[in-house]
Short mmCIF file of all heavy atoms in Angstrom, two decimals:
data_model
loop_
_atom_site.label_atom_id
_atom_site.label_comp_id
_atom_site.label_asym_id
_atom_site.label_seq_id
_atom_site.Cartn_x
_atom_site.Cartn_y
_atom_site.Cartn_z
N ALA A 135 93.69 96.32 88.38
CA ALA A 135 94.75 95.28 88.39
C ALA A 135 95.96 95.73 89.17
O ALA A 135 96.52 95.01 89.97
CB ALA A 135 95.12 94.89 86.96
N ALA A 136 96.47 96.95 88.88
CA ALA A 136 97.68 97.46 89.51
C ALA A 136 97.72 98.96 89.43
O ALA A 136 97.22 99.58 88.46
CB ALA A 136 98.89 96.86 88.85
N THR A 137 98.38 99.57 90.40
CA THR A 137 98.54 101.04 90.38
C THR A 137 99.97 101.38 90.81
O THR A 137 100.59 100.59 91.56
CB THR A 137 97.53 101.74 91.32
OG1 THR A 137 97.73 101.31 92.68
CG2 THR A 137 96.10 101.54 90.88
N ILE A 138 100.38 102.55 90.46
CA ILE A 138 101.63 103.09 90.93
C ILE A 138 101.46 104.58 91.13
O ILE A 138 100.95 105.28 90.27
CB ILE A 138 102.77 102.78 89.94
CG1 ILE A 138 104.10 103.26 90.53
CG2 ILE A 138 102.54 103.38 88.57
CD1 ILE A 138 105.36 102.75 89.75
N THR A 139 101.90 105.07 92.28
CA THR A 139 101.76 106.49 92.62
C THR A 139 102.96 107.23 92.06
O THR A 139 103.93 106.65 91.63
CB THR A 139 101.67 106.70 94.12
OG1 THR A 139 102.92 106.39 94.74
CG2 THR A 139 100.53 105.85 94.73
N SER A 140 102.86 108.57 92.14
CA SER A 140 103.99 109.42 91.68
C SER A 140 105.21 109.14 92.51
O SER A 140 106.36 109.31 91.99
CB SER A 140 103.56 110.89 91.80
OG SER A 140 103.29 111.26 93.13
N GLY A 141 105.05 108.71 93.75
CA GLY A 141 106.21 108.37 94.59
C GLY A 141 106.73 107.01 94.42
O GLY A 141 107.78 106.65 94.99
N GLY A 142 106.08 106.17 93.52
CA GLY A 142 106.61 104.88 93.27
C GLY A 142 105.94 103.72 94.06
O GLY A 142 106.32 102.55 93.83
N SER A 143 105.02 104.05 94.90
CA SER A 143 104.31 102.99 95.65
C SER A 143 103.42 102.18 94.72
O SER A 143 102.71 102.79 93.90
CB SER A 143 103.53 103.60 96.79
OG SER A 143 104.34 104.25 97.77
N THR A 144 103.34 100.90 94.86
CA THR A 144 102.54 100.04 94.00
C THR A 144 101.50 99.31 94.82
O THR A 144 101.66 99.08 96.02
CB THR A 144 103.41 99.04 93.27
OG1 THR A 144 104.14 98.24 94.18
CG2 THR A 144 104.41 99.74 92.36
N ASN A 145 100.43 98.95 94.15
CA ASN A 145 99.34 98.19 94.74
C ASN A 145 98.81 97.24 93.66
O ASN A 145 98.68 97.57 92.48
CB ASN A 145 98.24 99.09 95.24
CG ASN A 145 97.18 98.36 96.03
OD1 ASN A 145 97.55 97.51 96.85
ND2 ASN A 145 95.93 98.74 95.83
N TYR A 146 98.44 96.01 94.06
CA TYR A 146 97.96 95.01 93.15
C TYR A 146 96.70 94.35 93.63
O TYR A 146 96.50 94.20 94.84
CB TYR A 146 99.01 93.97 92.92
CG TYR A 146 100.31 94.43 92.37
CD1 TYR A 146 101.35 94.80 93.18
CD2 TYR A 146 100.52 94.52 91.02
CE1 TYR A 146 102.56 95.24 92.68
CE2 TYR A 146 101.70 94.96 90.48
CZ TYR A 146 102.71 95.33 91.30
OH TYR A 146 103.91 95.79 90.81
N ALA A 147 95.85 93.97 92.70
CA ALA A 147 94.68 93.16 93.06
C ALA A 147 95.20 91.80 93.47
O ALA A 147 96.21 91.29 93.00
CB ALA A 147 93.79 92.99 91.84
N ASP A 148 94.46 91.18 94.40
CA ASP A 148 94.87 89.85 94.91
C ASP A 148 94.97 88.83 93.77
O ASP A 148 95.80 87.93 93.85
CB ASP A 148 93.86 89.37 95.94
CG ASP A 148 93.93 90.14 97.22
OD1 ASP A 148 94.96 90.79 97.54
OD2 ASP A 148 92.95 90.11 97.95
N SER A 149 94.13 88.98 92.76
CA SER A 149 94.13 88.02 91.67
C SER A 149 95.37 88.06 90.81
O SER A 149 95.69 87.06 90.11
CB SER A 149 92.89 88.23 90.80
OG SER A 149 92.87 89.54 90.27
N VAL A 150 96.14 89.13 90.86
CA VAL A 150 97.33 89.22 90.03
C VAL A 150 98.59 89.36 90.79
O VAL A 150 99.71 89.30 90.26
CB VAL A 150 97.25 90.44 89.08
CG1 VAL A 150 95.93 90.43 88.27
CG2 VAL A 150 97.37 91.76 89.81
N LYS A 151 98.50 89.50 92.13
CA LYS A 151 99.65 89.67 93.00
C LYS A 151 100.62 88.52 92.85
O LYS A 151 100.21 87.36 92.91
CB LYS A 151 99.20 89.86 94.44
CG LYS A 151 100.29 90.32 95.39
CD LYS A 151 99.71 90.62 96.78
CE LYS A 151 98.73 91.74 96.71
NZ LYS A 151 98.21 92.13 98.04
N GLY A 152 101.91 88.88 92.67
CA GLY A 152 102.93 87.84 92.52
C GLY A 152 103.13 87.42 91.04
O GLY A 152 104.13 86.79 90.75
N ARG A 153 102.24 87.81 90.20
CA ARG A 153 102.34 87.47 88.75
C ARG A 153 102.55 88.74 87.89
O ARG A 153 103.24 88.68 86.90
CB ARG A 153 101.14 86.71 88.29
CG ARG A 153 100.88 85.41 89.03
CD ARG A 153 99.75 84.61 88.36
NE ARG A 153 98.48 85.31 88.44
CZ ARG A 153 97.80 85.69 87.37
NH1 ARG A 153 98.22 85.44 86.14
NH2 ARG A 153 96.63 86.34 87.57
N PHE A 154 101.92 89.84 88.30
CA PHE A 154 102.01 91.07 87.54
C PHE A 154 102.92 92.05 88.25
O PHE A 154 102.96 92.11 89.49
CB PHE A 154 100.62 91.73 87.37
CG PHE A 154 99.69 90.94 86.44
CD1 PHE A 154 99.99 89.67 85.99
CD2 PHE A 154 98.52 91.60 86.01
CE1 PHE A 154 99.10 89.00 85.16
CE2 PHE A 154 97.65 90.92 85.19
CZ PHE A 154 97.93 89.62 84.75
N THR A 155 103.60 92.88 87.45
CA THR A 155 104.44 93.97 87.97
C THR A 155 104.23 95.19 87.20
O THR A 155 104.33 95.25 86.01
CB THR A 155 105.91 93.55 87.98
OG1 THR A 155 106.12 92.34 88.67
CG2 THR A 155 106.74 94.68 88.56
N ILE A 156 103.90 96.30 87.93
CA ILE A 156 103.75 97.59 87.30
C ILE A 156 105.08 98.37 87.47
O ILE A 156 105.62 98.34 88.57
CB ILE A 156 102.52 98.38 87.82
CG1 ILE A 156 102.31 99.64 87.04
CG2 ILE A 156 102.68 98.68 89.30
CD1 ILE A 156 100.97 100.35 87.34
N SER A 157 105.51 99.05 86.42
CA SER A 157 106.75 99.81 86.54
C SER A 157 106.67 100.97 85.58
O SER A 157 105.70 101.15 84.83
CB SER A 157 107.97 98.91 86.18
OG SER A 157 107.85 98.43 84.85
N ARG A 158 107.70 101.83 85.60
CA ARG A 158 107.68 103.00 84.72
C ARG A 158 109.05 103.33 84.25
O ARG A 158 110.08 102.98 84.85
CB ARG A 158 107.10 104.22 85.53
CG ARG A 158 107.88 104.51 86.82
CD ARG A 158 107.13 105.55 87.63
NE ARG A 158 107.85 105.84 88.90
CZ ARG A 158 107.41 106.64 89.79
NH1 ARG A 158 106.29 107.32 89.66
NH2 ARG A 158 108.13 106.81 90.95
N ASP A 159 109.12 104.03 83.13
CA ASP A 159 110.38 104.48 82.51
C ASP A 159 110.27 105.97 82.20
O ASP A 159 109.49 106.36 81.32
CB ASP A 159 110.66 103.74 81.25
CG ASP A 159 112.01 104.00 80.65
OD1 ASP A 159 112.51 105.16 80.81
OD2 ASP A 159 112.57 103.14 79.97
N GLY A 160 110.90 106.79 83.02
CA GLY A 160 110.79 108.20 82.87
C GLY A 160 111.27 108.72 81.52
O GLY A 160 110.73 109.68 80.93
N ALA A 161 112.36 108.11 81.01
CA ALA A 161 112.91 108.55 79.75
C ALA A 161 111.97 108.39 78.60
O ALA A 161 111.93 109.13 77.64
CB ALA A 161 114.23 107.82 79.48
N LYS A 162 111.15 107.34 78.65
CA LYS A 162 110.14 107.07 77.61
C LYS A 162 108.76 107.51 78.00
O LYS A 162 107.85 107.45 77.23
CB LYS A 162 110.10 105.57 77.35
CG LYS A 162 111.38 104.98 76.81
CD LYS A 162 111.25 103.52 76.50
CE LYS A 162 112.56 102.98 75.87
NZ LYS A 162 112.43 101.54 75.57
N ASN A 163 108.66 108.10 79.23
CA ASN A 163 107.32 108.53 79.73
C ASN A 163 106.27 107.49 79.58
O ASN A 163 105.18 107.72 79.11
CB ASN A 163 106.90 109.85 79.04
CG ASN A 163 106.13 110.76 79.93
OD1 ASN A 163 106.46 110.94 81.10
ND2 ASN A 163 105.07 111.40 79.39
N THR A 164 106.65 106.25 80.00
CA THR A 164 105.83 105.08 79.80
C THR A 164 105.68 104.28 81.05
O THR A 164 106.61 104.20 81.85
CB THR A 164 106.42 104.22 78.69
OG1 THR A 164 106.45 104.97 77.47
CG2 THR A 164 105.62 102.93 78.48
N VAL A 165 104.47 103.76 81.26
CA VAL A 165 104.23 102.85 82.35
C VAL A 165 103.97 101.48 81.78
O VAL A 165 103.28 101.34 80.75
CB VAL A 165 102.99 103.35 83.18
CG1 VAL A 165 102.61 102.26 84.24
CG2 VAL A 165 103.25 104.65 83.83
N TYR A 166 104.50 100.47 82.45
CA TYR A 166 104.42 99.10 81.94
C TYR A 166 103.67 98.17 82.88
O TYR A 166 103.55 98.44 84.06
CB TYR A 166 105.84 98.46 81.76
CG TYR A 166 106.72 99.26 80.84
CD1 TYR A 166 107.68 100.13 81.31
CD2 TYR A 166 106.60 99.09 79.45
CE1 TYR A 166 108.51 100.83 80.45
CE2 TYR A 166 107.44 99.78 78.59
CZ TYR A 166 108.39 100.68 79.11
OH TYR A 166 109.21 101.37 78.25
N LEU A 167 103.09 97.16 82.37
CA LEU A 167 102.50 96.07 83.17
C LEU A 167 103.12 94.78 82.63
O LEU A 167 102.72 94.29 81.58
CB LEU A 167 101.00 96.08 83.03
CG LEU A 167 100.35 95.03 83.96
CD1 LEU A 167 100.53 95.40 85.43
CD2 LEU A 167 98.82 94.91 83.66
N GLN A 168 104.03 94.25 83.38
CA GLN A 168 104.61 92.94 83.03
C GLN A 168 103.70 91.82 83.61
O GLN A 168 103.47 91.74 84.80
CB GLN A 168 106.03 92.80 83.61
CG GLN A 168 106.68 91.46 83.32
CD GLN A 168 106.98 91.25 81.89
OE1 GLN A 168 107.49 92.12 81.20
NE2 GLN A 168 106.63 90.07 81.39
N MET A 169 103.23 90.97 82.74
CA MET A 169 102.33 89.93 83.16
C MET A 169 102.94 88.58 82.90
O MET A 169 103.29 88.21 81.74
CB MET A 169 100.98 90.04 82.36
CG MET A 169 100.33 91.39 82.51
SD MET A 169 98.75 91.48 81.61
CE MET A 169 99.29 91.31 79.91
N ASN A 170 103.17 87.81 83.99
CA ASN A 170 103.75 86.52 83.91
C ASN A 170 102.76 85.47 84.40
O ASN A 170 101.76 85.78 85.02
CB ASN A 170 105.03 86.44 84.76
CG ASN A 170 106.10 87.40 84.33
OD1 ASN A 170 106.24 87.68 83.13
ND2 ASN A 170 106.87 87.90 85.28
#
């Protein structure tokens, strides 16, 4: 569905592009997937 590299580059499947967003929070050591 989505990926994020250590450098912050993101990639999305065509089926979710524009609707999903992958992000990260270093303080919480957590990666998120916001799905709209």
Side-chain angles (χ1 to χ4, degrees):
T137 61
I138 184 167
T139 69
S140 60
S143 298
T144 58
N145 188 41
Y146 300 92
D148 289 339
S149 58
V150 308
K151 191 173 297 183
R153 300 187 298 118
F154 290 12
T155 302
I156 188 170
S157 62
R158 58 189 178 181
D159 186 332
K162 297 182 178 180
N163 214 40
T164 297
V165 174
Y166 302 98
L167 184 67
Q168 178 66 46
M169 305 183 294
N170 299 325

